[in-house]
Amino acid sequence: MFASRGLDAPRLLAGARIDDALLQDPDGRVEVDDITRLWELAVAWSGNPALGMDRELPARHVNFDMVGYVMLASPTLKAGLMNLSRYYAVISDAITLDLEPDGSNQWMVLGLIGNTRPLPRQRLEYSLLTVATLCRWITRRDVQPQAVEFVDPEPADARPYVAAFGCPVRFGQPRNRLLLTNRDLEMPLLSSDPVLFDMHQRVIESRLVRLGHASTGQRVTEEIIHRLHLGEPRREDIASSLAMADRTLQRRLREEDTNFQQLLDDARRDLAQKYLAEDRYTLAQVADLLGFADQSNFFRANKRWFGVSPGQYRARLAEAEPLA
């Protein structure tokens, strides 16, 4: 895409310290901050503060590979975008996408995760333009967003943005997001195919495993374990630490057939087995380490988990220890 704007792509890659051999590796990954540096150089060398704001660019240069195939095989545009949200980690380690309802419309909200350098506004703007392009691609219709909002202040010339998105564009807003109508979102896809969907989904799930991306449930459990000694963690705080809205977290856990309370209970049970097996912790200390406000709640939970009180469970574990 940069080359089509007259930029020297090899020089850009060298300047951003990106090995161009990675571009030939289907499983190759480029560090988030290196991509940021690439965009910073491209904007500086082009002298174009609206770099990427041309609706033809993502249509020609963006390749979503297996994520695109999963979207095409989905039953509706909304289902396709939800799958894009679910599998976006295959595409980027820095950006998340989530649908949030707003009356008869829904916002496609762009979030950030994993970056240490601020992402250039041009990269975020191009990402949302790519989403708008995807909507037209998978529906084979000219789906138009109702509005687009960006966090960054209004540029000196906003005309390229209005031309690219074809709708009102607002700047200086709380989040980067794009508004779509429910009518468009519920549009059936001509390419929908349950058999192909299952096949592409299996492929993309295996790719996520190769890339080392844990499920949302696993990530939530890790956060719970890290915070339990400070007291019972709030779901909203866990969602924030994972750079997603609370509603998004709940939806993703439902997709994995679990919920926050179940993950919290499972984490406490597993840690209780560990702590009660170690005599150095008193029962009061174990209750604190598990984030219980008082010991009575811990005792009730222990009876539910193991059928006995914490003291009886500890004694049972001691009896089961093999002789040295």
Side-chain angles (χ1 to χ4, degrees):
M1 188 273 281
F2 292 147
S4 74
R5 302 292 90 181
L7 292 166
D8 185 336
R11 181 172 171 240
L12 275 175
L13 290 171
R17 299 192 291 277
I18 296 173
D19 182 359
D20 59 2
L22 281 174
L23 306 183
Q24 310 306 319
D25 180 2
D27 290 328
R29 304 295 277 184
V30 180
E31 292 293 331
V32 172
D33 291 339
D34 291 340
I35 295 292
T36 292
R37 193 176 297 108
L38 182 72
W39 271 92
E40 290 170 346
L41 291 174
V43 173
W45 293 354
S46 69
N48 180 8
L51 183 64
M53 282 299 99
D54 181 337
R55 65 191 302 168
E56 296 301 319
L57 291 176
R60 290 203 306 265
H61 301 292
V62 171
N63 176 14
F64 276 89
D65 193 44
M66 291 307 302
V67 180
Y69 295 137
V70 169
M71 293 179 70
L72 279 170
S74 301
T76 64
L77 173 58
K78 182 179 180 179
L81 288 173
M82 290 179 70
N83 284 314
L84 173 65
S85 169
R86 184 178 184 182
Y87 296 123
Y88 206 82
V90 170
I91 300 163
S92 172
D93 294 322
I95 292 174
T96 61
L97 288 171
D98 293 296
L99 276 171
E100 292 185 3
D102 184 1
S104 61
N105 303 312
Q106 296 209 38
W107 290 100
M108 196 73 190
V109 182
L110 185 151
L112 301 178
I113 187 171
N115 57 302
T116 55
R117 297 164 65 101
L119 270 65
R121 62 181 296 167
Q122 293 82 4
R123 182 183 181 188
L124 303 177
E125 293 159 356
Y126 187 68
S127 295
L128 273 189
L129 183 58
T130 296
V131 173
T133 302
L134 272 173
C135 291
R136 291 190 289 271
W137 177 58
I138 68 172
T139 60
R140 304 178 190 176
R141 291 180 54 181
D142 189 20
V143 174
Q144 285 291 342
Q146 301 302 293
V148 174
E149 295 183 347
F150 292 114
V151 170
D152 287 293
E154 184 168 352
D157 185 3
R159 288 174 298 178
Y161 298 85
V162 176
F165 286 99
C167 68
V169 181
R170 298 186 282 266
F171 299 90
Q173 302 300 309
R175 292 185 291 177
N176 298 299
R177 58 186 189 170
L178 178 149
L179 188 65
L180 298 167
T181 67
N182 282 332
R183 181 179 178 182
D184 284 337
L185 287 167
E186 298 302 333
M187 187 186 308
L189 299 183
L190 297 175
S191 54
S192 177
D193 188 319
V195 175
L196 285 177
F197 178 84
D198 289 342
M199 181 184 72
H200 295 320
Q201 190 176 45
R202 286 196 298 272
V203 172
I204 205 167
E205 292 280 1
S206 66
R207 182 171 295 183
L208 278 173
V209 171
R210 291 203 308 274
L211 292 172
H213 286 276
S215 68
T216 300
Q218 290 172 310
R219 295 167 65 198
V220 168
T221 297
E222 290 174 0
E223 286 293 322
I224 288 172
I225 291 172
H226 290 157
R227 295 164 181 254
L228 267 179
H229 68 286
L230 301 174
E232 182 171 316
R234 296 171 64 248
R235 188 186 63 221
E236 296 87 346
D237 294 335
I238 297 292
S240 178
S241 70
L242 298 178
M244 65 180 73
D246 181 41
R247 284 182 297 184
T248 300
L249 175 63
Q250 293 180 68
R251 173 175 58 77
R252 292 189 178 181
L253 291 178
R254 281 197 303 271
E255 291 172 353
E256 297 175 9
D257 295 322
T258 188
N259 58 66
F260 180 80
Q261 204 59 42
Q262 184 63 56
L263 294 174
L264 173 60
D265 195 60
D266 290 346
R268 278 174 158 165
R269 184 196 62 227
D270 293 344
L271 288 174
Q273 291 177 302
K274 172 185 174 183
Y275 294 143
L276 290 172
E278 300 185 33
D279 290 335
R280 61 195 178 100
Y281 297 120
T282 67
L283 296 184
Q285 288 175 321
V286 174
D288 288 340
L289 288 169
L290 296 179
F292 286 104
D294 57 65
Q295 289 193 57
S296 62
N297 290 336
F298 170 46
F299 273 65
R300 283 194 293 271
N302 207 91
K303 292 269 289 188
R304 178 165 48 81
W305 294 330
F306 310 122
V308 295
S309 71
Q312 291 170 321
Y313 185 73
R314 171 168 276 175
R316 181 188 298 174
L317 289 175
E319 292 173 359
E321 288 182 359
L323 295 175

